[in-house]
Amino acid sequence: MGDVLRQLELNKLARILAVEPSSLDVLLASDPDDIRELRTIVTERLFSLHGGRVAALAQLSKKVPAAISAKMAEAAFGPVLSARIAGALDPADAAKMSALLSPEFLAQVSRDVDPARVASIIKLLPDDLIIKVGRILLREHDTIALARFVASVSPAVVTAVLEGADGNELLELALYVDDRAALDSIIAEFSDERLSAVLAATKGFHGATDKEMADAAVALVAALTPATRARWSTFADQAPPAVAKAVTAAVAASR
Protein backbone atom coordinates (compact mmCIF):
# COMPACT_ATOMS: atom_id res chain seq x y z
CA MET A 1 0.00 0.00 0.00
CA GLY A 2 1.30 3.47 -0.84
CA ASP A 3 1.14 6.43 1.47
CA VAL A 4 -2.02 5.93 3.53
CA LEU A 5 -3.15 9.56 3.28
CA ARG A 6 -2.93 9.45 -0.52
CA GLN A 7 -4.82 6.17 -0.60
CA LEU A 8 -7.60 7.50 1.59
CA GLU A 9 -7.96 10.55 -0.66
CA LEU A 10 -8.10 8.26 -3.69
CA ASN A 11 -10.81 6.20 -1.99
CA LYS A 12 -12.91 9.34 -1.52
CA LEU A 13 -12.36 10.43 -5.11
CA ALA A 14 -13.28 6.95 -6.34
CA ARG A 15 -16.53 7.16 -4.39
CA ILE A 16 -17.47 10.41 -6.14
CA LEU A 17 -16.58 8.97 -9.55
CA ALA A 18 -18.29 5.61 -8.81
CA VAL A 19 -15.16 3.66 -9.79
CA GLU A 20 -12.84 1.23 -8.06
CA PRO A 21 -9.98 2.95 -6.20
CA SER A 22 -7.48 0.77 -8.06
CA SER A 23 -8.47 2.45 -11.32
CA LEU A 24 -6.99 5.68 -9.93
CA ASP A 25 -3.60 4.23 -8.99
CA VAL A 26 -1.96 6.56 -11.50
CA LEU A 27 -2.59 9.30 -8.93
CA LEU A 28 -0.69 7.54 -6.14
CA ALA A 29 2.31 9.76 -6.80
CA SER A 30 0.22 12.91 -6.34
CA ASP A 31 0.12 15.00 -3.19
CA PRO A 32 -2.95 14.24 -1.01
CA ASP A 33 -3.92 17.94 -1.09
CA ASP A 34 -3.91 17.88 -4.90
CA ILE A 35 -6.13 14.81 -4.94
CA ARG A 36 -8.48 16.55 -2.51
CA GLU A 37 -8.61 19.62 -4.73
CA LEU A 38 -9.38 17.43 -7.74
CA ARG A 39 -12.23 15.82 -5.78
CA THR A 40 -13.65 19.26 -5.02
CA ILE A 41 -13.57 20.20 -8.71
CA VAL A 42 -15.15 16.90 -9.75
CA THR A 43 -17.89 17.26 -7.12
CA GLU A 44 -18.72 20.77 -8.30
CA ARG A 45 -18.88 19.61 -11.89
CA LEU A 46 -21.06 16.60 -11.13
CA PHE A 47 -23.57 18.65 -9.18
CA SER A 48 -23.75 21.33 -11.87
CA LEU A 49 -24.53 18.83 -14.62
CA HIS A 50 -28.13 18.90 -15.86
CA GLY A 51 -28.81 21.80 -13.52
CA GLY A 52 -31.94 22.82 -15.43
CA ARG A 53 -33.49 19.37 -15.21
CA VAL A 54 -32.65 19.02 -11.54
CA ALA A 55 -34.19 22.43 -10.82
CA ALA A 56 -37.31 21.44 -12.76
CA LEU A 57 -37.66 18.23 -10.74
CA ALA A 58 -37.20 20.23 -7.55
CA GLN A 59 -40.00 22.57 -8.63
CA LEU A 60 -42.20 19.59 -9.42
CA SER A 61 -41.62 18.23 -5.93
CA LYS A 62 -42.87 21.51 -4.47
CA LYS A 63 -46.18 21.23 -6.33
CA VAL A 64 -47.25 17.96 -4.75
CA PRO A 65 -47.72 16.92 -1.11
CA ALA A 66 -44.59 15.89 0.79
CA ALA A 67 -45.86 12.30 1.03
CA ILE A 68 -46.10 12.08 -2.77
CA SER A 69 -42.67 13.66 -3.20
CA ALA A 70 -41.25 11.06 -0.84
CA LYS A 71 -42.86 8.24 -2.83
CA MET A 72 -41.47 9.73 -6.06
CA ALA A 73 -37.99 9.92 -4.56
CA GLU A 74 -37.89 6.30 -3.43
CA ALA A 75 -39.83 4.68 -6.30
CA ALA A 76 -38.94 6.82 -9.33
CA PHE A 77 -35.89 9.01 -8.76
CA GLY A 78 -33.70 6.67 -6.75
CA PRO A 79 -30.90 7.72 -4.36
CA VAL A 80 -28.47 9.28 -6.87
CA LEU A 81 -30.98 11.61 -8.53
CA SER A 82 -32.58 12.36 -5.17
CA ALA A 83 -29.16 13.41 -3.90
CA ARG A 84 -28.85 15.89 -6.79
CA ILE A 85 -32.37 17.23 -6.26
CA ALA A 86 -31.91 17.67 -2.51
CA GLY A 87 -29.55 20.60 -2.95
CA ALA A 88 -32.09 22.44 -5.10
CA LEU A 89 -35.00 22.08 -2.67
CA ASP A 90 -36.16 24.59 -0.10
CA PRO A 91 -34.60 23.36 3.19
CA ALA A 92 -37.92 23.28 5.05
CA ASP A 93 -39.62 21.33 2.24
CA ALA A 94 -36.68 18.94 1.98
CA ALA A 95 -36.65 18.33 5.74
CA LYS A 96 -40.40 17.64 5.73
CA MET A 97 -39.99 15.15 2.89
CA SER A 98 -36.95 13.51 4.52
CA ALA A 99 -39.01 12.72 7.59
CA LEU A 100 -41.28 10.62 5.34
CA LEU A 101 -38.43 8.67 3.73
CA SER A 102 -37.10 5.44 5.21
CA PRO A 103 -33.76 5.70 7.05
CA GLU A 104 -32.45 2.99 4.73
CA PHE A 105 -33.19 5.13 1.66
CA LEU A 106 -31.73 8.22 3.29
CA ALA A 107 -28.56 6.24 4.00
CA GLN A 108 -28.30 5.49 0.28
CA VAL A 109 -28.90 9.14 -0.59
CA SER A 110 -26.21 10.27 1.86
CA ARG A 111 -23.60 8.40 -0.17
CA ASP A 112 -24.17 10.67 -3.17
CA VAL A 113 -25.28 13.96 -1.68
CA ASP A 114 -22.92 16.92 -1.31
CA PRO A 115 -22.95 17.86 2.41
CA ALA A 116 -22.15 21.49 1.64
CA ARG A 117 -25.30 21.78 -0.48
CA VAL A 118 -27.60 20.23 2.11
CA ALA A 119 -26.16 21.67 5.34
CA SER A 120 -29.25 23.83 5.87
CA ILE A 121 -31.46 20.76 5.45
CA ILE A 122 -29.47 18.66 7.91
CA LYS A 123 -29.88 21.35 10.57
CA LEU A 124 -33.67 20.91 10.35
CA LEU A 125 -33.68 17.12 10.64
CA PRO A 126 -34.46 15.52 14.00
CA ASP A 127 -31.46 14.05 15.78
CA ASP A 128 -33.04 10.61 16.09
CA LEU A 129 -33.43 10.36 12.30
CA ILE A 130 -29.82 11.39 11.70
CA ILE A 131 -28.67 8.85 14.28
CA LYS A 132 -30.69 6.06 12.63
CA VAL A 133 -29.20 6.88 9.22
CA GLY A 134 -25.71 7.14 10.65
CA ARG A 135 -25.97 3.79 12.40
CA ILE A 136 -27.05 2.16 9.14
CA LEU A 137 -23.93 3.53 7.46
CA LEU A 138 -21.80 2.34 10.37
CA ARG A 139 -23.39 -1.10 10.25
CA GLU A 140 -22.45 -1.23 6.57
CA HIS A 141 -18.93 -0.01 7.42
CA ASP A 142 -19.35 3.01 5.14
CA THR A 143 -16.96 5.32 6.97
CA ILE A 144 -16.46 7.47 3.86
CA ALA A 145 -20.13 8.52 3.87
CA LEU A 146 -20.14 8.97 7.64
CA ALA A 147 -17.02 11.12 7.59
CA ARG A 148 -18.58 13.58 5.15
CA PHE A 149 -21.21 14.60 7.70
CA VAL A 150 -19.15 14.84 10.89
CA ALA A 151 -18.81 18.62 10.54
CA SER A 152 -22.51 19.05 9.71
CA VAL A 153 -24.06 17.62 12.87
CA SER A 154 -23.54 18.11 16.59
CA PRO A 155 -20.84 16.20 18.50
CA ALA A 156 -23.60 14.60 20.59
CA VAL A 157 -25.19 13.14 17.45
CA VAL A 158 -21.85 11.88 16.13
CA THR A 159 -21.09 10.30 19.51
CA ALA A 160 -24.48 8.54 19.50
CA VAL A 161 -23.92 7.22 15.97
CA LEU A 162 -20.48 5.86 16.89
CA GLU A 163 -21.66 4.12 20.03
CA GLY A 164 -20.96 0.67 18.62
CA ALA A 165 -17.87 1.50 16.54
CA ASP A 166 -14.61 -0.33 17.15
CA GLY A 167 -11.14 1.20 17.15
CA ASN A 168 -10.50 0.46 13.49
CA GLU A 169 -13.76 2.10 12.40
CA LEU A 170 -13.09 5.13 14.58
CA LEU A 171 -9.58 5.56 13.16
CA GLU A 172 -10.80 5.10 9.59
CA LEU A 173 -13.57 7.64 10.11
CA ALA A 174 -11.20 10.19 11.63
CA LEU A 175 -8.79 9.86 8.72
CA TYR A 176 -11.58 10.28 6.17
CA VAL A 177 -12.92 13.49 7.73
CA ASP A 178 -12.03 16.58 5.66
CA ASP A 179 -12.59 19.16 8.40
CA ARG A 180 -10.43 17.56 11.07
CA ALA A 181 -10.91 20.48 13.43
CA ALA A 182 -14.45 19.16 13.87
CA LEU A 183 -13.02 16.00 15.41
CA ASP A 184 -11.72 17.65 18.56
CA SER A 185 -15.04 17.96 20.41
CA ILE A 186 -15.87 14.37 19.44
CA ILE A 187 -12.55 12.84 20.48
CA ALA A 188 -12.77 14.79 23.74
CA GLU A 189 -15.86 12.69 24.57
CA PHE A 190 -14.09 9.37 23.96
CA SER A 191 -13.46 7.16 26.95
CA ASP A 192 -9.92 6.10 27.79
CA GLU A 193 -10.68 2.68 26.34
CA ARG A 194 -11.78 4.21 23.03
CA LEU A 195 -8.69 6.37 22.73
CA SER A 196 -6.53 3.33 23.42
CA ALA A 197 -8.43 1.34 20.79
CA VAL A 198 -7.94 4.03 18.13
CA LEU A 199 -4.19 4.13 18.72
CA ALA A 200 -3.99 0.33 18.79
CA ALA A 201 -5.79 0.26 15.42
CA THR A 202 -2.81 2.00 13.77
CA LYS A 203 -0.97 -1.32 13.80
CA GLY A 204 -1.32 -2.84 10.33
CA PHE A 205 -4.15 -0.44 9.42
CA HIS A 206 -5.22 -1.47 5.90
CA GLY A 207 -1.75 -2.86 5.29
CA ALA A 208 -0.03 0.48 5.88
CA THR A 209 3.47 0.55 7.33
CA ASP A 210 4.15 1.94 10.79
CA LYS A 211 5.89 4.92 9.17
CA GLU A 212 2.82 5.70 7.07
CA MET A 213 0.58 5.43 10.10
CA ALA A 214 2.92 7.66 12.09
CA ASP A 215 2.49 10.36 9.44
CA ALA A 216 -1.29 9.87 9.44
CA ALA A 217 -1.50 10.01 13.24
CA VAL A 218 0.56 13.20 13.34
CA ALA A 219 -1.79 14.76 10.76
CA LEU A 220 -4.72 13.97 13.05
CA VAL A 221 -2.99 15.25 16.16
CA ALA A 222 -2.16 18.54 14.44
CA ALA A 223 -5.88 19.34 14.10
CA LEU A 224 -6.65 18.87 17.80
CA THR A 225 -6.53 21.33 20.68
CA PRO A 226 -3.54 21.09 23.07
CA ALA A 227 -5.67 19.50 25.80
CA THR A 228 -7.02 16.76 23.51
CA ARG A 229 -3.55 16.14 22.07
CA ALA A 230 -2.07 15.75 25.51
CA ARG A 231 -4.77 13.31 26.61
CA TRP A 232 -4.40 11.24 23.45
CA SER A 233 -0.62 11.07 23.82
CA THR A 234 -0.98 9.39 27.22
CA PHE A 235 -2.17 6.29 25.36
CA ALA A 236 0.55 6.40 22.70
CA ASP A 237 2.09 3.20 24.04
CA GLN A 238 -0.92 1.31 22.64
CA ALA A 239 0.35 2.05 19.12
CA PRO A 240 3.41 0.57 17.37
CA PRO A 241 6.68 2.21 18.55
CA ALA A 242 7.09 4.35 15.42
CA VAL A 243 3.57 5.75 15.78
CA ALA A 244 3.93 6.27 19.52
CA LYS A 245 7.22 8.14 19.07
CA ALA A 246 5.80 10.37 16.32
CA VAL A 247 2.64 11.22 18.28
CA THR A 248 4.58 11.96 21.46
CA ALA A 249 7.05 14.16 19.58
CA ALA A 250 4.25 16.04 17.78
CA VAL A 251 2.46 16.75 21.05
CA ALA A 252 5.66 17.89 22.75
CA ALA A 253 6.52 20.19 19.83
CA SER A 254 3.09 21.80 19.93
CA ARG A 255 3.35 22.88 23.58
Side-chain angles (χ1 to χ4, degrees), residues 43-61:
T43 300
E44 182 61 37
R45 178 58 179 160
L46 282 175
F47 277 84
S48 64
L49 284 173
H50 312 301
R53 293 180 182 178
V54 170
L57 288 171
Q59 287 298 316
L60 173 62
S61 296

Side-chain angles (χ1 to χ4, degrees), residues 79-124:
V80 177
L81 184 52
S82 293
R84 300 291 188 270
I85 295 171
L89 290 172
D90 173 77
D93 291 339
K96 186 184 297 182
M97 184 172 71
S98 296
L100 298 170
L101 294 168
S102 69
E104 290 75 17
F105 183 74
L106 287 174
Q108 294 179 54
V109 171
S110 69
R111 294 186 172 97
D112 293 289
V113 80
D114 179 11
R117 285 176 165 79
V118 297
S120 56
I121 299 172
I122 294 172
K123 290 178 180 178
L124 298 175

Side-chain angles (χ1 to χ4, degrees), residues 64-87:
V64 297
I68 300 299
S69 293
K71 284 290 186 183
M72 289 167 54
E74 290 205 44
F77 297 157
V80 177
L81 184 52
S82 293
R84 300 291 188 270
I85 295 171

Side-chain angles (χ1 to χ4, degrees), residues 14 65 88 104 109 114 118 123 162 169 176 190 198 206 210 218 236 253:
E104 290 75 17
V109 171
D114 179 11
V118 297
K123 290 178 180 178
L162 299 179
E169 289 169 327
Y176 274 132
F190 282 4
V198 172
H206 287 248
D210 288 350
V218 168

Side-chain angles (χ1 to χ4, degrees), residues 24-220:
L24 302 176
D25 281 354
V26 67
L27 295 175
L28 276 173
S30 302
D31 186 274
D33 288 340
D34 292 336
I35 301 173
R36 187 180 302 115
E37 183 177 353
L38 175 60
R39 174 164 52 89
T40 299
I41 294 170
V42 169
T43 300
E44 182 61 37
R45 178 58 179 160
L46 282 175
F47 277 84
S48 64
L49 284 173
H50 312 301
R53 293 180 182 178
V54 170
L57 288 171
Q59 287 298 316
L60 173 62
S61 296
K62 292 180 65 173
K63 295 178 180 179
V64 297
I68 300 299
S69 293
K71 284 290 186 183
M72 289 167 54
E74 290 205 44
F77 297 157
V80 177
L81 184 52
S82 293
R84 300 291 188 270
I85 295 171
L89 290 172
D90 173 77
D93 291 339
K96 186 184 297 182
M97 184 172 71
S98 296
L100 298 170
L101 294 168
S102 69
E104 290 75 17
F105 183 74
L106 287 174
Q108 294 179 54
V109 171
S110 69
R111 294 186 172 97
D112 293 289
V113 80
D114 179 11
R117 285 176 165 79
V118 297
S120 56
I121 299 172
I122 294 172
K123 290 178 180 178
L124 298 175
L125 297 179
D127 288 350
D128 63 335
L129 178 58
I130 298 173
I131 291 169
K132 285 178 183 178
V133 172
R135 286 178 175 171
I136 290 170
L137 293 172
L138 180 62
R139 187 173 68 233
E140 297 175 355
H141 306 291
D142 195 341
T143 49
I144 292 180
L146 275 174
R148 298 167 72 218
F149 293 95
V150 164
S152 301
V153 299
S154 71
V157 168
V158 177
T159 301
V161 168
L162 299 179
E163 196 173 81
D166 59 28
N168 191 74
E169 289 169 327
L170 292 172
L171 175 59
E172 191 170 275
L173 175 71
L175 290 172
Y176 274 132
V177 171
D178 284 331
D179 183 6
R180 287 185 177 149
L183 290 171
D184 192 87
S185 57
I186 298 165
I187 292 175
E189 296 297 319
F190 282 4
S191 65
D192 291 352
E193 291 74 18
R194 291 204 122 185
L195 283 176
S196 297
V198 172
L199 282 160
T202 60
K203 182 175 178 59
F205 179 78
H206 287 248
T209 66
D210 288 350
K211 173 61 171 64
E212 289 171 348
M213 288 314 301
D215 292 342
V218 168
L220 281 180

